[in-house]
């Protein structure tokens, strides 16, 4: 019965624009001058300036990826690489320039902060306009800052870890980020500290043809726990924007880290992100990666399990609608015995959208007792849409247990008929089946996001069916 | 209330171009219990689906009048709004949707329709659900399972009857609610059907065996063969079928028709 379901863009409620009033805007395009200018404006140490310049060279040398999404619409000359929104960062929302504050109000960030967060960072274009961590956690030695400030205030911890997880030469976009990075979150959780409620960062692009290149670095000391949540949105423009982040995570012995992303960029954003964690002995890394928005996303959160007993959990949820290509997945690298990983991917393709699961399970020689399970479920809602699975395996050890399972499903006429017989309209029935499909992942999201997710699905099902 | 009725008049319907219903006429009033008995493949489920508006079943001729309104063209949810309900012979699974959420959803939808009323809270609904599940001897943990996923035959049937009781429709078609049940489950399910009947629901009970009619007493029994009602009578007809089977009626067309 279902003819198709409205794409997310039709109901995108974050597409509003705010007038551009900036302290500084670099000229369009990428060059050595632009990179030097960024470093200079930030007053960075020499090593960082050099790091950026070297990264730029790598970027220029590396070819575009030949696989993944269609990146022919990315024009590196047509992007603003640095925009400073405000000359001062707020510790309270009152200190944030009014128009920017209004934007975050509309996005519900200050309210969420009051209700259920331990700390919040808000980045607007290239830099953080607000950052705050509740006193309680500061007292326990937790550091939660934007990455620029962290470089100034904690130069030693910073330099020790920065770029150790994702080197600039890792891939073309990691090199780009390394050259022009700005903003992002820096988190340090001291040994044994459990931050019971989430820290959240929100990334907003407002300007047209903007490139946002935040860089995050998270260090979880032994036995600690933190849940970090990030959200992101942008206005709808007819020209393209670029979001290229790098996230580096270090989880030490017995620590656990959960990183939840709700990516909801407008459909003119190319989202090309490198996210990677290293997990030491008995450490646990959990990626909960929701991709709803953007034009093209290429993102494969990775966990390198260096220590015996380390664990990786990757939950990936994707919705690809009209004009969208979501090329996502996860990578787990087993580098020690008795490490385990679990990847669950759920994708919904509709209205001509295309989603791909691309994943890697790698086990090095000698890593006996490794357990890995991959489960990919795709739901395709109409004949125009498409879903593919590319599960790569590279197993160099015999004494391991590896599982892989993939399913493709649809909302069936029988399901719609059953639910409509109970009084639900066709769109409500379709929404129910779809929300059931993603339930195993949605139930892992923070409450507020779970509610929002179900609301989005509901909205999407309206109008386009029947 | 008692003037509510469903009139099926010379209903002919096909699936994939194949004619299955070849002229069915029945008249069911609210509060009545009609048993439809017939061999496998005679078109009983087809009748149920056609009444409920399944899109694959095409009405070729005849009419469905619900409270004097022709509903031939209405979608399944419009029919549900007007008080029709089907307990499925083979209910479909809705993975990831818990019984609890599903039932609260359809219950609230029904309430909103009935009196434009406010939806009940999760807490209120769970209290109601717990009580109703108790009647059907269902474990509390059942509410947390996903709708019909991995359910045994008996669990599926109970969930259908649970919905019948929660939605309290005007007219329900129960498509083989007894198939695959052991005697204890059959009793529990029958009690549920009887509670619904006491509340005034009209029932079309589709069944293959007379067994359930020992527990749910029909006012009328119709024998269904090859897409037609070939004989109608009172409860005694069920007994006769139990003794003689269907063969003696094959090739016969009900004279009343
Ligand atoms: N989707 C279908 N396509 C073609 N024929 C069907 C389909 N569904 C049912 N039928 C046929 O319709 C007839 C009646 O089936 P059904 O209504 O299920 O009978 P009953 O419920 O009495 O056992 C059978 O001959 C069956 O093969
Ligand atoms: Mg049947």
């Amino acid at each position: 019965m279902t003819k198709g379901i409205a794409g997310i863009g039709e109901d995108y409620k974050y597409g509003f624009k705010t007038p551009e009033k900036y302290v500084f805007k670099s000229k369009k395009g990428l060059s050595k001058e632009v990179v030097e200018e960024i470093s200079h404006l930030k007053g960075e140490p020499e090593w960082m300036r050099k790091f950026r310049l070297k990264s730029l060279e790598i970027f220029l040398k590396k070819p575009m990826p030949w696989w993944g999404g269609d990146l022919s619409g990315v024009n590196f000359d047509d992007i603003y690489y640095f925009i400073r929104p405000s000359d001062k960062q707020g510790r309270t929302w009152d200190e944030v320039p009014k128009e920017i504050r209004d934007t975050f109000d509309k996005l519900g960030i200050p309210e969420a902060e009051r209700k259920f967060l331990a700390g919040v960072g808000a980045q607007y274009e290239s830099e953080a306009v607000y950052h705050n961590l509740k006193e309680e956690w500061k007292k326990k030695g937790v550091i939660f800052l934007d990455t620029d400030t962290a470089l100034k205030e904690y130069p030693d911890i910073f330099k020790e870890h920065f770029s150790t997880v994702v080197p600039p030469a890792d891939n073309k976009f990691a090199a780009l980020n390394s050259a022009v990075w700005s903003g992002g979150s820096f988190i340090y959780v001291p040994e044994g500290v459990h931050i019971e409620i989430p820290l959240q960062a929100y990334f907003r692009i407002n300007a047209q043809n903007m490139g946002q290149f935040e860089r995050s670095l998270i260090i979880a000391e032994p036995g600690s726990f933190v849940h970090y949540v990030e959200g992101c949105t942008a206005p709808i423009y007819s020209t393209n924007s670029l979001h290229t982040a790098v996230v580096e995570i270090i989880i030490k012995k017995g620590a656990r880290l959960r990183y939840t992303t709700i990516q909801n960029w407008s459909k003119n954003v190319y989202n090309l992100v490198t996210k990677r964690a290293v997990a030491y002995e008995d450490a646990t890394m959990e990626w909960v990666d929701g991709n709803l928005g953007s034009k093209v996303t290429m993102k494969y959160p990775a966990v390198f399990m260096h220590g015996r007993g380390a664990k990786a959990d990757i939950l990936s949820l994707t919705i690809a609608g009209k004009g969208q290509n979501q090329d996502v997945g996860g990578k787990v690298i087993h580098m020690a015995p008795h490490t385990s990983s679990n990847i669950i991917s759920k994708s919904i393709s509709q209205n001509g959208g295309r989603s791909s699961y691309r994943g890697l399970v790698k086990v090095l020689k000698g890593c006996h007792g490794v357990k890995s399970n991959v489960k990919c479920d795709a739901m395709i809602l109409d004949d125009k849409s498409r879903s593919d699975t590319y599960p790569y395996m590279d197993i160099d050890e015999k004494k391991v247990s590896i599982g892989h399972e993939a399913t493709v499903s649809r909302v069936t006429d029988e399901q719609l008929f059953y639910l409509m017989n109970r009084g639900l309209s066709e769109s409500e029935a379709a929404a129910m089946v779809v929300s059931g499909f993603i339930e195993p992942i949605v139930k892992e999201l923070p409450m507020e996001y779970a509610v929002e997710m179900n609301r989005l699905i509901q909205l999407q099902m309206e109008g386009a069916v029947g | 209330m008692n003037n509510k009725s469903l009139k099926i008049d010379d209903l002919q319907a096909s699936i994939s171009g194949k004619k299955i219903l070849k002229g069915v006429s029945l008249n069911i009033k609210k509060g009545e219990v009609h048993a439809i008995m017939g061999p496998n493949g005679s078109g009983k489920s087809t009748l149920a689906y056609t009444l409920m508006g399944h899109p694959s079943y095409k009405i070729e001729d005849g009419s469905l009048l619900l409270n004097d309104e022709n509903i031939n063209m209405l979608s399944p949810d419009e029919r549900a709004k007007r008080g029709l309900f089907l307990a499925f012979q083979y209910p479909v699974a809705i993975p990831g949707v818990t019984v609890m959420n599903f039932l609260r959803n359809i219950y609230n939808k029904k309430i909103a329709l009935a009196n434009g009323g406010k939806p009940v809270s999760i807490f209120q609904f769970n209290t109601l659900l717990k009580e109703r599940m108790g009647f059907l001897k269902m474990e509390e943990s059942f509410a947390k399972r996903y709708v019909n996923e991995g359910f045994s035959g008996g669990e599926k049937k109970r969930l259908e009857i649970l919905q019948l009781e929660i939605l309290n429709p005007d007219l329900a078609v129960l498509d083989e609610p007894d198939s695959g049940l052991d005697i204890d489950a059959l009793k529990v399910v029958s009690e549920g059907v009887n509670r619904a009947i006491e509340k005034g629901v009209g029932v079309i009970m589709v069944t293959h065996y007379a067994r359930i009619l020992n527990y749910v007493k029909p006012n009328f029994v119709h024998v269904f063969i090859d897409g037609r009602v070939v004989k109608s009578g009172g409860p005694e007809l069920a007994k006769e079928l139990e003794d003689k089977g269907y063969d003696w009626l094959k090739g016969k067309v009900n004279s009343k028709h």
Side-chain angles (χ1 to χ4, degrees):
Chain A
M1 276 182 264
T2 312
K3 301 292 181 295
I5 285 163
I8 204 154
E10 279 79 60
D11 300 308
Y12 193 69
K13 66 171 185 176
Y14 310 104
F16 60 90
K17 305 173 176 84
T18 306
E20 296 189 26
K21 279 191 202 165
Y22 300 122
V23 178
F24 178 85
K25 185 170 183 176
S26 67
K27 65 175 201 294
K28 245 187 203 175
L30 182 61
S31 62
K32 208 174 152 203
E33 289 66 47
V34 167
V35 172
E36 300 250 21
E37 190 172 45
I38 292 170
S39 190
H40 174 74
L41 282 165
K42 290 179 181 291
E44 286 176 348
E46 184 61 13
W47 73 267
M48 185 57 81
R49 196 182 68 91
K50 284 190 177 146
F51 172 84
R52 288 179 182 276
L53 291 170
K54 197 187 81 194
S55 302
L56 177 65
E57 277 173 30
I58 297 170
F59 167 73
L60 293 172
K61 266 189 235 142
K62 279 204 181 272
M64 291 290 268
W66 52 269
W67 48 275
D70 174 9
L71 302 181
S72 57
V74 178
N75 180 355
F76 293 109
D77 298 330
D78 201 30
I79 296 285
Y80 293 102
Y81 285 82
F82 183 70
I83 296 178
R84 174 164 283 176
S86 150
D87 45 20
K88 171 167 165 287
Q89 192 182 104
R91 285 276 170 251
T92 67
W93 285 102
D94 286 340
E95 293 167 16
V96 176
K98 184 172 181 317
E99 275 164 343
I100 300 178
R101 189 173 72 224
D102 288 349
T103 296
F104 285 105
D105 263 333
K106 273 195 219 172
L107 297 169
I109 308 304
E111 192 193 349
E113 180 178 15
R114 282 193 300 275
K115 279 197 199 147
F116 68 97
L117 296 167
V120 164
Q123 178 162 339
Y124 195 77
E125 317 297 16
S126 299
E127 289 185 334
V129 291
Y130 173 85
H131 236 277
N132 189 36
L133 174 66
K134 286 189 176 143
E135 215 31 68
E136 171 187 6
W137 301 107
K138 277 189 200 159
K139 275 191 201 139
K140 290 188 172 150
V142 175
I143 304 169
F144 180 44
L145 292 169
D146 67 283
T147 310
D148 294 299
T149 305
L151 172 58
K152 288 202 175 69
E153 295 188 5
Y154 299 92
D156 298 334
I157 315 183
F158 191 100
K159 198 172 174 188
E160 184 190 335
H161 297 98
F162 180 82
S163 187
T164 57
V165 182
V166 180
D170 189 83
N171 65 76
K172 189 170 180 72
F173 293 96
L176 176 62
N177 174 280
S178 300
V180 295
W181 75 268
S182 182
S185 298
F186 177 89
I187 302 170
Y188 176 84
V189 193
E191 182 160 357
V193 173
H194 282 231
I195 311 180
E196 284 117 22
I197 51 177
L199 298 175
Q200 179 173 315
Y202 201 93
F203 298 91
R204 176 77 180 171
I205 290 177
N206 180 60
Q208 191 161 5
N209 291 72
M210 176 62 193
Q212 194 176 56
F213 305 98
E214 90 270 9
R215 175 128 195 161
S216 294
L217 177 57
I218 305 178
I219 301 151
E221 291 289 347
S224 65
F225 168 73
V226 63
H227 181 188
Y228 171 75
V229 182
E230 63 177 6
C232 46
T233 57
I236 300 163
Y237 291 112
S238 54
T239 56
N240 296 325
S241 296
L242 180 59
H243 173 255
T244 296
V246 166
V247 176
E248 299 182 278
I249 296 175
I250 295 146
I251 317 162
K252 299 195 184 162
K253 186 174 175 177
R256 180 161 82 95
L257 194 141
R258 174 172 277 214
Y259 192 118
T260 298
T261 302
I262 307 295
Q263 181 271 106
N264 200 359
W265 294 117
S266 50
K267 283 194 193 174
N268 57 307
V269 176
Y270 284 88
N271 184 46
L272 310 167
V273 171
T274 307
K275 289 184 159 166
R276 189 173 300 167
V278 293
Y280 292 96
E281 193 178 336
D282 292 327
T284 301
M285 176 65 207
E286 302 165 357
W287 292 107
V288 180
D289 201 41
N291 290 292
L292 312 180
S294 82
K295 180 173 191 160
V296 174
T297 285
M298 286 173 66
K299 179 173 27 155
Y300 323 95
V303 187
F304 283 65
M305 287 161 276
H306 279 279
R308 195 185 175 91
K311 274 178 69 178
D313 267 311
I314 301 177
L315 296 180
S316 173
L317 170 63
T318 304
I319 302 179
K322 192 173 175 195
Q324 290 183 294
N325 185 348
Q326 307 276 20
D327 202 273
V328 301
K331 295 190 221 173
V332 288
I333 321 292
H334 295 265
M335 307 169 72
H338 294 288
T339 47
S340 57
S341 61
N342 202 11
I343 301 180
I344 298 177
S345 159
K346 297 241 173 198
S347 70
I348 297 167
S349 307
Q350 55 167 339
N351 259 309
R354 178 167 180 196
S355 67
S356 304
Y357 168 81
R358 197 179 296 275
L360 171 68
V361 176
K362 189 175 169 77
V363 181
L364 303 193
K365 201 165 181 60
C367 299
H368 56 265
V370 161
K371 282 200 189 101
S372 176
N373 255 306
V374 179
K375 192 172 189 309
C376 304
D377 298 325
M379 186 174 258
I380 303 174
L381 295 180
D382 53 59
D383 295 331
K384 294 180 290 182
S385 306
R386 172 169 172 187
S387 169
D388 299 282
T389 312
Y390 307 95
Y392 299 100
M393 302 233 177
D394 182 358
I395 317 292
D396 228 349
E397 166 65 41
K398 288 210 176 67
K399 282 182 258 165
V400 294
S401 148
I402 310 282
H404 177 88
E405 190 189 324
T407 68
V408 178
S409 58
R410 290 171 180 269
V411 178
T412 66
D413 283 359
E414 295 315 315
Q415 289 172 320
L416 291 178
F417 178 59
Y418 186 75
L419 296 174
M420 290 171 78
N421 182 262
R422 289 355 180 189
L424 302 184
S425 68
E426 188 172 351
S427 64
E428 288 166 336
M432 184 174 273
V433 177
V434 172
S435 53
F437 173 72
I438 60 174
E439 202 270 348
I441 294 183
V442 169
K443 73 172 189 230
E444 295 295 324
L445 297 178
M447 242 289 259
E448 285 68 16
Y449 283 98
V451 170
E452 172 70 4
M453 188 69 72
N454 282 323
R455 194 193 63 84
L456 275 174
I457 302 275
Q458 207 88 42
L459 267 177
Q460 284 185 70
M461 302 300 139
E462 277 165 22
V465 282
Chain B
M1 196 164 138
N2 276 330
N3 56 16
K4 291 207 168 157
S5 70
L6 175 68
K7 276 204 184 75
I8 306 171
D9 187 24
D10 193 28
L11 184 66
Q12 302 181 35
S14 65
I15 178 158
S16 320
K18 182 175 159 196
K19 194 150 178 191
I20 307 291
L21 301 185
K22 299 171 181 168
V24 179
S25 298
L26 286 169
N27 193 351
I28 300 104
K29 294 202 180 70
K30 199 167 192 288
E32 290 177 353
V33 179
H34 292 246
I36 292 188
M37 302 183 65
N40 280 331
S42 57
K44 304 184 297 297
S45 292
T46 301
L47 174 63
Y49 279 178
T50 308
L51 292 181
M52 298 302 151
H54 190 297
S56 304
Y57 294 78
K58 187 162 171 271
I59 297 184
E60 303 283 356
D61 209 344
S63 60
L64 297 172
L65 291 178
L66 183 63
N67 308 326
D68 292 329
E69 179 194 10
N70 186 306
I71 59 164
N72 281 29
M73 302 304 288
L74 292 184
S75 61
D77 55 321
E78 288 299 327
R79 295 184 199 207
K81 273 184 207 166
R82 286 163 177 73
L84 291 187
F85 176 92
L86 170 63
F88 286 67
Q89 183 177 4
Y90 303 111
V92 66
I94 317 287
V97 177
T98 60
V99 165
M100 192 157 52
N101 277 343
F102 165 62
L103 294 176
R104 192 175 74 249
N105 245 286
I106 61 177
Y107 181 73
N108 278 333
K109 182 86 197 230
K110 165 101 185 178
I111 291 194
L113 281 177
N115 46 18
K118 279 210 327 246
V120 297
S121 70
I122 293 181
F123 177 78
Q124 282 174 307
F125 182 75
N126 285 354
T127 309
L128 173 116
L129 179 59
K130 214 170 132 176
E131 181 197 74
R132 298 297 163 85
M133 281 177 48
F135 291 162
L136 288 166
K137 305 207 164 38
M138 296 162 98
E139 303 249 356
E140 258 180 66
S141 61
F142 188 82
K144 298 213 168 100
R145 291 174 62 187
Y146 295 150
V147 175
N148 291 319
E149 198 178 50
F151 282 20
S152 69
E155 286 169 335
K156 284 184 184 166
K157 301 290 174 182
R158 281 180 215 223
L159 180 57
E160 294 300 288
I161 301 306
L162 181 60
Q163 292 177 68
L164 168 69
E165 290 201 69
I166 282 175
L167 293 178
N168 193 28
D170 291 329
L171 192 121
V173 179
L174 313 179
D175 193 355
E176 301 204 20
D178 52 339
S179 63
L181 297 185
D182 63 31
I183 190 72
D184 293 332
L186 180 66
K187 275 184 187 159
V188 167
V189 161
S190 301
E191 280 165 19
V193 175
N194 284 329
R195 278 191 298 275
I197 291 168
E198 269 162 40
K199 282 196 188 158
V201 63
V203 168
I204 298 178
M205 167 83 79
V206 174
T207 177
H208 187 63
Y209 298 108
R211 193 173 65 148
I212 191 171
L213 303 179
N214 295 328
Y215 302 94
V216 180
K217 297 285 173 215
N219 305 102
F220 306 93
V221 173
H222 310 278
V223 185
F224 202 82
I225 292 175
D226 191 23
R228 288 188 180 91
V229 174
V230 296
K231 190 172 173 61
S232 296
E236 72 291 340
L237 184 51
K239 184 84 189 67
E240 203 178 344
L241 287 169
E242 198 170 28
D243 297 339
K244 299 207 244 168
Y246 293 111
D247 283 349
W248 62 287
L249 288 165
K250 280 191 178 152
K252 201 169 165 176
V253 175
N254 191 0
S255 51
K256 272 199 288 179
H257 175 81

